[in-house]
Amino acid sequence: MNILIIESEIYLAQKVVSRLLDDGHSCDYVESPNIDSLTKEYDIVLLSTSLPSLQCKNIIKRYKDSIVILLVSYISDETVTNPIKDGAKDYIMKPFIMDELVRKIYHYKECRSLRQELNTMRRYLDFIFQEIDLEEQSLPPSFPTLIESNSQKCADKLVFELARKMDLGVKFVSLNSDNWQKELTNPFKGIVYLTDYHTLKKNAKDNLIKLIEDKKCIITSLEKEEEFPYRKLEFNRPDLVVLNNNIMTINDYVKMMVLSFQGKYPDTELSKKLGISRKSLWEKRKKLGIEKKK
């Protein structure tokens, strides 16, 4: 990491620099910086609050994207409270044990990495779920619940939204895996999300139903499950057609393609891609009840 040490006590600063260099970091040290001279970017800034409060404030503002840790001789609003309000992450009292400073540095670096990873994952989930609308879809009110859907992504978004609202973690278990029974018996305080219920044979489904009776479970199936004894809800994508046997008829395929791509291609090109005439496309729309988008 690139680390800037701003400290007027030369002996202390040299000791910090020596330890951080030994740990393989790149360090710059200044006693009393001019804000205009701080042109480099740093991962960590170790800032002594012995500097004037306005100067500290400006440095914290300059390095708002860095992890700023305060080096303080005493605790007060001026040395700790206000700088943390301005954006500093933490403080350490002088004299301090060097290992404690290093621990804080790595702790906040890990926190920042986790936050960046979490934000990336949130943006990714928003991206892949953007075409799925939950506005008119109710969340499961109790457990266990089975979601019948023609789209795994629909069920996934519903589970993520429920977990967010309940502030619970999610454990993902595919019922295609060989160890799903073991995974289900392991203690977990959040929501256990079981996918691929439709792939199980009847005796395995019966066994699963017994195991989940008193658990926070959500199960998904891409087929209708008439014999499931607990709460069920249906959440389908209207532009997707998947039959119970997962084999689509010609009409189902044409319907799915027209609903998916009629906004992208004119009828002349769409009919050509489907291998039918424009007149046949018009007839298919009428027969299948597909409203043409304006």
Side-chain angles (χ1 to χ4, degrees):
M1 288 185 290
N2 292 322
I3 301 175
L4 173 64
I5 300 99
I6 303 173
E7 173 58 69
S8 59
E9 298 180 35
I10 298 176
Y11 174 75
L12 173 61
Q14 289 175 340
K15 186 178 178 184
V16 171
V17 169
S18 177
R19 172 59 190 275
L20 295 176
L21 288 174
D22 287 344
D23 282 1
H25 303 295
S26 174
C27 297
D28 288 334
Y29 158 60
V30 292
E31 290 184 52
S32 181
N34 181 336
I35 191 70
D36 295 328
S37 69
L38 300 174
T39 57
K40 288 178 61 176
E41 297 301 323
Y42 295 93
D43 301 302
I44 308 286
V45 177
L46 304 178
L47 174 61
S48 172
T49 53
S50 61
L51 294 174
S53 57
L54 181 59
Q55 192 173 18
C56 285
K57 183 182 182 76
N58 289 334
I59 292 170
I60 292 169
K61 184 178 179 181
R62 162 67 180 85
Y63 289 108
K64 58 182 173 55
D65 296 326
S66 303
I67 298 167
V68 178
I69 298 176
L70 308 170
L71 309 178
V72 306
S73 300
Y74 60 93
I75 296 174
S76 69
D77 287 347
E78 189 175 285
T79 62
V80 174
T81 306
N82 293 335
I84 286 180
K85 285 180 181 179
D86 292 334
K89 294 299 182 187
D90 203 351
Y91 69 93
I92 189 168
M93 284 282 294
K94 303 175 189 176
F96 49 79
I97 299 172
M98 197 60 61
D99 285 345
E100 179 64 12
L101 175 63
V102 171
R103 186 195 67 78
K104 283 181 181 287
I105 288 173
Y106 282 109
H107 169 73
Y108 283 101
K109 179 181 181 296
E110 183 179 12
C111 286
R112 185 174 66 175
S113 296
L114 289 172
R115 191 176 296 111
Q116 289 172 343
E117 184 177 351
L118 179 60
N119 288 335
T120 299
M121 291 303 299
R122 283 175 175 165
R123 288 192 294 270
Y124 173 68
L125 290 175
D126 289 342
F127 173 73
I128 64 171
F129 290 146
Q130 61 185 329
E131 76 276 14
I132 299 171
D133 184 13
L134 289 182
E135 189 172 333
E136 298 182 2
Q137 181 63 48
S138 60
L139 296 175
S142 62
F143 301 100
T145 294
L146 174 74
I147 301 173
E148 295 175 338
S149 181
N150 63 356
S151 166
Q152 187 63 54
K153 278 171 56 170
C154 283
D156 291 348
K157 185 169 183 178
L158 208 57
V159 172
F160 276 112
E161 183 65 16
L162 179 65
R164 185 186 66 80
K165 289 199 171 183
M166 297 183 69
D167 195 24
L168 291 172
V170 180
K171 180 179 183 180
F172 301 88
V173 180
S174 170
L175 295 172
N176 270 328
S177 65
D178 295 331
N179 62 339
W180 66 262
Q181 295 185 61
K182 181 180 178 181
E183 289 288 339
L184 196 53
T185 54
N186 289 335
F188 184 69
K189 293 183 179 180
I191 297 171
V192 180
Y193 181 34
L194 304 165
T195 63
D196 305 306
Y197 182 76
H198 56 279
T199 66
L200 294 181
K201 294 182 179 178
K202 187 178 185 307
N203 61 338
K205 288 181 178 179
D206 292 341
N207 185 29
L208 174 66
I209 286 167
K210 293 176 185 177
L211 290 173
I212 64 173
E213 183 177 4
D214 57 349
K215 296 184 183 298
K216 288 189 182 74
C217 283
I218 295 182
I219 307 97
T220 59
S221 175
L222 298 182
E223 298 180 2
K224 292 285 187 181
E225 303 292 347
E226 302 295 341
E227 298 182 7
F228 189 78
Y230 305 119
R231 182 181 297 275
K232 294 192 294 183
L233 62 86
E234 188 174 326
F235 183 27
N236 291 317
R237 279 184 60 176
D239 61 338
L240 218 58
V241 180
V242 179
L243 302 183
N244 288 352
N245 56 9
N246 292 325
I247 299 176
M248 304 177 74
T249 65
I250 296 298
N251 282 341
D252 289 326
Y253 174 77
V254 171
K255 183 176 182 179
M256 183 182 72
M257 291 297 103
V258 172
L259 286 170
S260 299
F261 295 104
Q262 65 178 351
K264 183 176 181 180
Y265 301 111
D267 280 2
T268 303
E269 191 171 352
L270 183 59
S271 60
K272 188 180 298 184
K273 287 181 178 294
L274 289 170
I276 59 178
S277 67
R278 229 182 127 182
K279 180 180 178 182
S280 294
L281 177 60
W282 180 84
E283 290 172 346
K284 290 286 186 185
R285 273 207 181 94
K286 186 175 180 182
K287 180 180 179 181
L288 299 173
I290 303 171
E291 184 178 350
K292 184 176 180 179
K293 290 185 178 180
K294 301 294 184 183

